[in-house]
Amino acid sequence: MNDDADVAVEFDDDGLVPAVAQDAETGDVLMLAYVSQEALDRTRETGRAHYYSRSRDELWEKGATSGHVQTVREVRVDCDADTLLYLVEQDGGACHTGYRSCFYRTIEGDVVGERVFDPDAVYDADADGEETTETEG
């Protein structure tokens, strides 16, 4: 990744910006999460997507638990510098529910995406069945 003439990202009052992960090859939108300065720095250093979990109040690397990593090919910034676009190569599913994309259903509830793994086989669940790892919430 190129460090020449970096754009000054406009983080919000909580120190975060939304980031959309998009498949670099197909253009499919995979997920939306939030990024802190530290997450952005780690992404640029490692070439793997890092995000900030608002629900857990911590930095996380996509795929650290599931193995479904996102290799970042490019980071783009929108015109207001307050939203990021991660162009990624997705290994496995992007969604903690087992789907390739978090956008796997319509507003009417119709499933239009492909389930690519069994989340019960990958993640630990708490007593309520809620995922305890790698979810944004």
Side-chain angles (χ1 to χ4, degrees), residues 47-104:
R48 292 184 311 273
H50 287 74
Y51 300 99
Y52 187 84
S53 171
R54 297 175 301 163
S55 60
R56 292 189 319 268
D57 194 27
E58 66 183 15
L59 180 76
W60 59 281
E61 178 182 345
K62 179 67 177 148
T65 301
S66 67
H68 301 156
V69 298
Q70 291 176 343
T71 303
V72 178
R73 292 293 165 227
E74 187 174 15
V75 178
R76 294 186 184 178
V77 183
D78 78 337
C79 57
D80 295 322
D82 62 0
T83 304
L84 300 176
L85 176 64
Y86 283 3
L87 297 175
V88 304
E89 288 180 17
Q90 177 67 52
D91 183 19
C95 187
H96 71 278
T97 63
Y99 287 87
R100 175 155 166 69
S101 168
C102 292
F103 300 96
Y104 64 88

Side-chain angles (χ1 to χ4, degrees), residues 15-52:
L16 302 173
V17 295
V20 174
Q22 182 179 31
D23 187 294
E25 190 172 313
T26 67
D28 291 343
V29 175
L30 301 174
M31 59 180 275
L32 176 126
Y34 289 84
V35 172
S36 63
Q37 182 66 62
E38 181 182 11
L40 179 57
D41 291 345
R42 293 284 298 143
T43 296
R44 296 180 77 193
E45 289 167 10
T46 66
R48 292 184 311 273
H50 287 74
Y51 300 99
Y52 187 84

